[in-house]
Amino acid sequence: MTIHRPGRPGDLPPAEVLWARWALACVLAARTEDEGRGIHRVGTWIDGSGLHLDDSGCTWWTMEALGHGRYVLYGEDESSQVKWHKPPVDMLAGGPDWLPYETLRDLLDGWQLGCVYWYENGAWARAPYPETLEDDGLDCGIGRFAVREEFLREPELPAFETAELAAAAEEYRLEPRALEELAGRVPAAALDLPAAKRALALAGLTAEPGASEPEPAAPAS
C-alpha cells in the first residue's frame, strides 16, 4: 500500500485494521509509570479518549472510536502544509455531524491541526484539497500503522513475535493469555504486563470482528 502526498482516503486501511495495529503498539509500549501523565505523555499509548502518538516534536496523532462503526483520525506532522496553504484549506468541510467538533475547532484555533480523516460505512473521507497542496502529513505521520510492512518494523514489536501478534490483533483475537506467554519469553524490562493488560482491555482487541468494537471515546469536557 502506498500513501500519497497529500494523503487520499483510499490510502488508509479499514479503520478497524488501523485501530488494531496502532492499539497493539500501544499495548506493547504501555508502562505503569506513564499512565498518570495525561496530556504530558509522549510515545504511543491508549486511554479513555482513544489512541495517541506523540514524539514531542515532529508529529502527533489521535484516533477515536465513536461507535456504530465510526472513527476519526486527526493530528499533524511537520511535513503538513495544510494550515499554511493559501488560500486556506477548510479541514472540516464536508464532515459528518458526529465529528468531535469542539475538540477539532479548539485545535484549529490553536494552529495545532494538520489534517482530519473520518470513517463511516466502511470508507474513509476527508475535506477536499486544492491541487496546489503538496502534503498533509498523513504519510510521515500514519504510514507506520497504515502500511503493514512498516508496522511490522515498529520498534515496540518484538522482532520474532511480530507477524503472530499483528495477525491476532488485526483479527481481534488477542487475549491476555498471549501477553502472559509473551512476558515469559522476553526480557522483564521489555513488557510491563499489568499495564499491557490494561491497555488491551481499553483497546477491545479480544472480540470477534464485527461482534463488538472499541468503546467510544469519552465526550470532550
Side-chain angles (χ1 to χ4, degrees):
M1 174 181 286
T2 298
I3 296 185
H4 297 84
R5 297 188 179 184
R8 303 173 185 174
D11 294 341
L12 292 168
E16 296 82 1
V17 173
L18 183 63
W19 178 280
R21 293 174 186 166
W22 192 340
L24 174 59
C26 294
V27 168
L28 297 177
R31 296 294 181 269
T32 299
E33 62 268 23
D34 293 333
E35 291 175 333
R37 294 184 177 178
I39 62 173
H40 302 293
R41 290 179 72 166
V42 297
T44 306
W45 75 95
I46 182 172
D47 59 21
S49 66
L51 305 176
H52 305 277
L53 166 66
D54 193 332
D55 71 356
S56 192
C58 298
T59 196
W60 74 267
W61 297 84
T62 291
M63 184 175 180
E64 297 183 23
L66 300 173
H68 308 289
R70 297 168 173 170
Y71 295 79
V72 60
L73 168 68
Y74 57 92
E76 182 181 23
D77 186 86
E78 65 176 0
S79 62
S80 175
Q81 302 171 2
V82 176
K83 69 183 183 184
W84 312 114
H85 192 271
K86 300 295 183 182
V89 177
D90 181 357
M91 289 179 249
L92 303 181
D97 59 9
W98 48 263
L99 288 180
Y101 282 104
E102 183 176 354
T103 296
L104 296 173
R105 287 179 177 133
D106 282 347
L107 291 167
L108 284 169
D109 289 344
W111 290 85
Q112 301 176 66
L113 196 58
C115 66
V116 182
Y117 287 72
W118 53 88
Y119 185 89
E120 185 176 26
N121 298 323
W124 287 101
R126 60 155 169 77
Y129 290 163
E131 293 184 1
T132 50
L133 180 69
E134 296 181 357
D135 200 349
D136 67 352
L138 186 71
D139 184 14
C140 292
I142 297 298
R144 70 195 73 188
F145 302 129
V147 180
R148 199 172 199 276
E149 292 76 12
E150 292 189 29
F151 173 66
L152 295 180
R153 294 194 294 267
E154 273 294 285
E156 290 90 350
L157 298 174
F160 59 92
E161 303 275 357
T162 297
E164 180 181 347
L165 288 169
E170 290 172 3
E171 295 169 14
Y172 284 73
R173 55 176 177 81
L174 184 63
E175 301 289 342
R177 181 179 300 177
L179 297 179
E180 294 168 358
E181 294 173 353
L182 177 64
R185 298 194 294 269
V186 300
L191 182 70
D192 182 335
L193 186 58
K197 285 184 174 181
R198 289 190 290 271
L200 179 62
L202 283 173
L205 296 180
T206 61
E208 290 295 324
S212 65
E213 60 183 354
E215 289 295 320
S221 57

